[in-house]
Amino acid sequence: MEPLRTSDPARLAGYRLLGRLGAGGMGVVYLARSAGGTLVALKVIQAEYAEDPDFRERFRREADTARRMTSPWVASLVDADPEAAQPWLATTFVPGPSLAEALAAHGPLPVPSLRVLGARLAEALRELHAAGLVHRDVKPGNVLLALDGPRLIDFGVARNFEDTALTTTGVVVGTPGFLPPEQARGGRDPGPAGDVFSLGCVLAFAATGRLPFGTGSIDALLYRTVHDAPDLEGVPAELAEVVSSCLEKDPELRPTAEALTVAAPLSPASPSDPREALRVVRPPEPEDNRIPGETESAPGDEAWLPEPLVRLIAERSAAGLALPSIDETEVDAASVGTAATDTAAQPAVRAVGRRRFLLLAGGAAVVTAGGGLAAWAALSGDGENDNAAPNSSSPVYTLGLHADLSGDQKAVGRAQERGLRLAVDEFNSRADSPFVLAVKTVDDGGDPARAPKAAAKLVADRSVLAVIGPTTDATALASLAAYDAASLPLIAVSPGATVLGVMGSRSFLHARVTDTVLPFYLDAYVRGTAKSRTVGIVDDRAADAYGWEISSTLANILRKERQPAVPKVVSALRTDFGPTLDALLDGGADSVVFAGYHDRAALLARELGSRDFPGARAAAQGVLDARFLSAAGDAADGWVIVAPVMDATVAPEAKAFRAAYRKRFDAEPERYAVETYDVAQLSVRALRSLTAGRRTRQNLTAALRSATYKGISRNLAFDKATGALVIDGSGVYLWKVAGGRFAYQGVAPFQVST
């Protein structure tokens, strides 16, 4: 939860506002307290959207749907006014995290938790369907976890079975990765069976931490949802059958929500009865009147969630109960300076004229309305913020860096930090700078378990308006929910996992091409430059999703163009690549593309070297690592790497950057320094485009998504809806191993499959 901002009212619709639970482009969800002391989640729509008749009708339908729901496993409606100038609705406050946040922070759920999750969500859907409605967006982000069970939320796109109003033909409503095939095609709206399919996707994701139809571009996700079998490896045997039945392509073959719900007694029950798979032993009963954080259980009962999640819910419950009441907002116009309207440079100020401050987060810095020196002192007190100089009249804003500064990828993290600091130095040195920039760094050591805590430090600092990082896919996935909950823009420079862009984040921007785009460059090099006729593809299971994204996308490109290919999957346990190479050669492969990381690429390189393989050998950025050179030895020579990173030490377009970097750090720029520098420059440009009173995290996210910037290493422009980088052929480069080193070859050729 975030503190309230100076622009937020103290009271709305009879409720006292206590803090912000979340925000999107169309409104804000507040934690609020009724006159009787009940905590609610108050969803308020911005006035400009309320003026849109279609949007107001959608909100009216959401309130009507929520009002009709009486299931204990739905966040129940307390009150609503869709006709107000700013439409609002209040639902019971659920202090727990979303399922998406819980999985990112703590990993897959155990079988008992999965049983409760599946059974209770099925009950919620059963009631929804009995009322003649479908949800249409069942996903982890719309499931909240409470001590007594899950809650299904967000009925914004729910609708009657036969209702075609407000629906455009061919438009896909919902979240790719959790859509049923009939919805993914865009030509048919789903019925209740579509919600069951989405529930199957949610259960598979909760059980394994992986999307059942993989990751990749939206088109690829939708294609696999329609045509491919789901990946259910790792789903516990007790649940595999029921999850598989939910994911049937034919809606008629899926169980209904009624069939999935637990009825007691179930005797006798067929071994294939889906209710038996989701049977809950001593199921926890909802107690909506129980004080949040207080638990009651029968002797011998156990919590349905793992201990870390129970502890998290209890802590959030206690924090909600401990919140003080809020004074009415009073503004003394004579005492409010320019900086007083700058909500990003100070915590929530509820009565500016009387200097009353509400601190909802431990360690938050108090910055008076005067800004300037007081702000600088508060920001620099912990020694983590620097790169700024005190100025009595300029507000101070901070760009955060979330990086691996001490682990396996510390060289990349250090380069990113230096690129950011160089950009901030240059901005602060300008006489016409309208504000002062600072840098705050946090180190997660490349450990996904540490990433959420690192993110929390940046989230808690209200001066931080944007964060660059994290360094790796795993740490980005682990911390994405924390940044999203705070509406803090997160700009990824080095992570490439496509799943980052399909998690429904409101504040994530991907500043490099994803791993599913790199195969287009690999194809252009192998078949274009190297003139390969039959491409051998090695999918290394040890590389998990990264290897799969590279190999499957390349195979699909070649299949679509009817080009010969020999794909081969290698077990993560295999260290002898001889049989793999035999299969490639037997299939006529005259080139090899390796989809995996540097350590296993060295094994394949040695095998290819021992056979004097004459064809092209290529890989993506996972092999651009000095450890590949040392492990492969002479066998590394000739390998070509396609990577979204420039060599700023030799690239002509980086000449000025290179000189400034050498002067500032007395060193040559390392990989990902110039890419981070470009992103920092984009962030500064977006921040400057906002007036002082609008420099907030949420507004900066919108500005970033609308901005364009021609950087040194790549052109930066984003899809306004998803935050994905607009692909224009820039930003990907060729490297070739020669003489035991990676030699930069310049811009990689790019070819889009037709």
Side-chain angles (χ1 to χ4, degrees):
M1 182 176 64
E2 295 182 31
L4 293 171
R5 300 175 183 175
T6 54
S7 57
D8 293 326
R11 181 188 292 272
L12 194 151
Y15 292 92
R16 292 280 193 174
L17 305 188
L18 305 176
R20 284 176 165 235
L21 296 174
M26 298 181 180
V28 181
V29 180
Y30 297 102
L31 175 62
R33 181 182 284 132
S34 71
T38 302
L39 293 177
V40 299
L42 188 69
K43 183 176 183 178
V44 183
I45 302 304
Q46 293 180 8
E48 57 263 38
Y49 292 103
E51 295 173 0
D52 183 339
D54 287 343
F55 188 86
R56 185 178 284 274
E57 176 60 27
R58 170 180 164 179
F59 191 80
R60 189 180 292 114
R61 288 190 301 113
E62 179 177 4
D64 180 64
T65 300
R67 187 175 286 111
R68 294 163 67 180
M69 293 297 98
T70 59
S71 169
W73 313 117
V74 170
S76 58
L77 183 73
V78 176
D79 199 2
D81 187 358
E83 309 307 326
Q86 282 188 273
W88 60 271
L89 63 82
T91 59
T92 303
F93 172 58
V94 180
S98 70
L99 178 60
E101 181 183 353
L103 294 176
H106 299 285
L109 298 179
V111 171
S113 300
L114 292 169
R115 289 186 189 278
V116 175
L117 178 70
R120 298 312 179 227
L121 292 181
E123 290 182 39
L125 291 175
R126 176 185 64 184
E127 178 168 321
L128 186 73
H129 298 163
L133 300 166
V134 286
H135 190 284
R136 300 202 301 168
D137 198 18
V138 178
K139 61 182 179 181
N142 282 341
V143 177
L144 300 181
L145 305 183
L147 290 175
D148 58 354
R151 298 291 192 277
L152 184 63
I153 64 169
D154 199 348
F155 297 92
V157 294
R159 47 166 287 194
N160 293 318
F161 296 170
E162 305 301 328
D163 180 16
T164 58
L166 305 177
T167 301
T168 302
T169 302
V171 173
V172 178
V173 178
T175 303
F178 299 94
L179 298 174
E182 59 271 26
Q183 195 172 359
R185 293 187 185 98
R188 170 184 175 186
D189 247 6
D195 285 344
V196 172
F197 186 95
S198 299
L199 174 60
C201 293
V202 168
L203 290 175
F205 186 56
T208 65
R210 302 190 316 277
L211 297 174
F213 295 97
T215 59
S217 65
I218 292 177
D219 287 347
L221 275 173
L222 298 179
Y223 179 87
R224 289 195 294 271
T225 299
V226 173
H227 298 286
D228 292 358
D231 174 13
L232 299 182
E233 185 176 349
V235 174
E238 305 96 310
L239 300 174
E241 185 175 348
V242 69
V243 173
S244 178
S245 67
C246 291
L247 297 178
E248 288 282 356
K249 304 294 185 189
D250 185 349
E252 299 297 325
L253 298 180
R254 299 172 204 151
T256 63
E258 172 72 27
L260 291 169
T261 55
V262 176
L266 277 180
S267 179
S270 163
S272 61
D273 192 328
R275 297 174 299 174
E276 191 66 19
L278 297 179
R279 177 185 286 276
V280 181
V281 179
R282 292 190 298 275
E285 292 298 329
E287 299 186 29
D288 289 338
N289 295 325
R290 179 187 299 165
I291 297 175
E294 181 183 13
T295 60
E296 288 185 12
S297 57
D301 279 356
E302 296 181 357
W304 77 283
L305 289 170
E307 178 60 27
L309 291 177
V310 173
R311 190 182 308 115
L312 175 61
I313 295 172
E315 290 172 354
R316 292 189 178 183
S317 300
L321 290 173
L323 286 170
S325 60
I326 308 299
D327 291 331
E328 298 288 353
T329 302
E330 299 177 27
V331 179
D332 181 356
S335 67
V336 179
T338 302
T341 61
D342 190 347
T343 62
Q346 53 188 324
V349 184
R350 302 311 311 149
V352 178
R354 298 184 181 183
R355 296 296 190 266
R356 294 172 182 164
F357 297 94
L358 173 63
L359 302 182
L360 296 183
V366 178
V367 184
T368 66
L373 289 172
W376 168 250
L379 291 172
S380 300
D382 61 4
E384 292 181 305
N385 293 70
D386 52 25
N387 280 74
N391 186 305
S392 60
S393 61
S394 298
V396 179
Y397 305 106
T398 303
L399 295 180
L401 177 76
H402 181 159
D404 175 3
L405 299 173
S406 59
D408 187 63
Q409 296 296 316
K410 61 184 178 183
V412 173
R414 179 178 62 245
Q416 292 177 335
E417 180 179 8
R418 289 180 171 181
L420 172 58
R421 291 190 184 280
L422 183 59
V424 168
D425 280 350
E426 291 180 357
F427 176 81
N428 287 336
S429 68
R430 298 170 185 164
D432 62 343
S433 297
F435 49 81
V436 176
L437 281 179
V439 172
K440 182 167 186 172
T441 63
V442 293
D443 175 23
D444 63 21
D447 183 356
R450 291 173 55 186
K453 291 183 179 179
K457 293 180 181 179
L458 294 174
V459 167
D461 186 342
R462 292 300 307 163
S463 76
V464 176
L465 295 194
V467 175
I468 296 174
T471 305
T472 68
D473 290 342
T475 51
L477 285 168
S479 55
L480 182 59
Y483 290 113
D484 193 43
S487 298
L488 178 56
L490 180 68
I491 315 170
V493 176
S494 49
T498 310
V499 68
L500 289 166
V502 298
M503 296 298 289
S505 171
R506 300 160 298 179
S507 56
F508 179 73
L509 295 98
H510 222 153
R512 57 150 283 195
V513 298
T514 61
D515 293 334
T516 47
V517 174
L518 294 177
F520 290 95
Y521 292 88
L522 286 166
D523 176 51
Y525 168 73
V526 173
R527 291 197 301 119
T529 305
K531 308 299 182 186
S532 173
R533 295 180 177 273
T534 303
V535 182
I537 306 172
V538 179
D539 177 2
D540 186 7
R541 283 286 172 84
D544 200 13
Y546 165 74
W548 183 84
E549 287 195 40
I550 299 294
S551 62
S552 64
T553 306
L554 180 57
N556 285 337
I557 292 171
L558 296 173
R559 186 182 306 115
K560 185 176 180 179
E561 296 186 352
R562 298 184 179 180
Q563 296 297 319
V566 186
K568 184 68 177 176
V569 177
V570 180
S571 166
L573 301 178
R574 179 178 290 279
T575 57
D576 178 10
F577 278 77
T580 302
L581 185 52
D582 289 338
L584 296 179
L585 295 176
D586 289 345
D590 58 7
S591 65
V592 173
V593 174
F594 179 72
Y597 293 119
H598 61 87
D599 51 348
R600 308 264 293 170
L603 298 176
L604 178 59
R606 287 188 173 276
E607 187 65 38
L608 289 166
S610 69
R611 309 277 190 99
D612 293 325
F613 182 76
R617 291 144 288 164
Q621 87 281 347
V623 179
L624 190 64
D625 190 298
R627 289 170 290 187
F628 170 69
L629 302 178
S630 58
D634 293 342
D637 272 19
W639 275 66
V640 170
I641 315 298
V642 168
V645 58
M646 168 187 281
D647 187 353
T649 65
V650 298
E653 53 269 50
K655 181 179 179 180
F657 168 82
R658 180 164 60 246
Y661 191 97
R662 288 169 175 167
K663 182 178 180 180
R664 172 67 168 83
F665 301 108
D666 192 26
E668 292 295 318
E670 296 177 281
R671 291 195 286 270
Y672 286 108
V674 68
E675 287 77 16
T676 308
Y677 174 87
D678 283 342
V679 167
Q681 294 287 7
L682 170 75
S683 302
V684 171
R685 172 174 291 194
L687 192 56
R688 290 195 65 166
S689 72
L690 300 172
T691 58
R694 298 191 67 250
R695 291 180 191 135
T696 66
R697 293 172 172 181
Q698 186 176 343
N699 288 337
L700 182 56
T701 299
L704 284 165
R705 289 193 172 187
S706 300
T708 60
Y709 180 71
K710 183 174 177 58
I712 299 169
S713 63
R714 65 192 59 165
N715 298 326
L716 293 169
F718 303 95
D719 183 290
K720 293 182 181 180
T722 66
L725 184 72
V726 174
I727 308 302
D728 64 357
S730 71
V732 180
Y733 302 91
L734 282 181
W735 299 70
K736 186 173 184 178
V737 181
R741 57 180 292 272
F742 290 113
Y744 180 67
Q745 306 293 300
V747 178
F750 180 66
Q751 177 178 320
V752 178
S753 175
T754 58

